[in-house]
């Protein structure tokens, strides 16, 4: 068996899932803990975009550039889903909503006092 310099452990039966950033087991990872509960700034800049690629032709509106705070993202996602009357989820630090709803999302975010780009 040859040893390569760019090989890293992805999963270990003893430790479970391994963090790609620091190489520690995911339960003991310290590099992601600081980003999961980032403080919410007073002036939030939200960026809107629409994606269609890789989704079977379905359109998805994405709000990204938000603070990485789990509770904040979850509450914002619920509020946007309720206001737009559609489904959605929080994925990778962004809120994804089904359909091209940029106008509705922009109105809700501006009403909340966010700066909206896109």
């Amino acid at each position: 068996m040859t040893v390569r310099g760019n090989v890293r452990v992805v999963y270990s039966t003893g430790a479970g899932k391994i963090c790609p950033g620091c190489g520690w087991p995911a339960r003991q990872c310290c590099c992601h803990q600081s980003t999961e509960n980032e403080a919410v700034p007073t002036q939030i800049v939200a960026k809107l975009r629409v994606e269609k690629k890789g989704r079977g032709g379905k359109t998805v509106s994405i709000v990204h550039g938000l603070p990485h705070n789990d509770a904040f993202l979850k509450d914002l996602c619920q509020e946007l889903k309720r206001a737009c009357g559609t489904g959605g989820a929080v994925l990778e630090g962004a809120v994804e909503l089904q359909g091209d709803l940029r106008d509705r999302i922009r109105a809700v975010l501006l009403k909340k006092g966010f700066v909206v780009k896109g």
Side-chain angles (χ1 to χ4, degrees), residues 9-20 23-29:
V9 176
V10 176
Y11 186 85
S12 171
T13 55
K17 190 171 180 136
I18 305 295
C19 173
W24 283 86
R27 294 185 307 264
Q28 299 171 349
C29 172

Side-chain angles (χ1 to χ4, degrees), residues 86-105:
T86 187
V90 176
L91 297 174
E92 300 175 3
V95 177
E96 295 185 2
L97 298 170
Q98 298 171 355
D100 187 359
L101 304 166
R102 286 177 288 186
D103 297 332
R104 292 184 197 173
I105 295 170

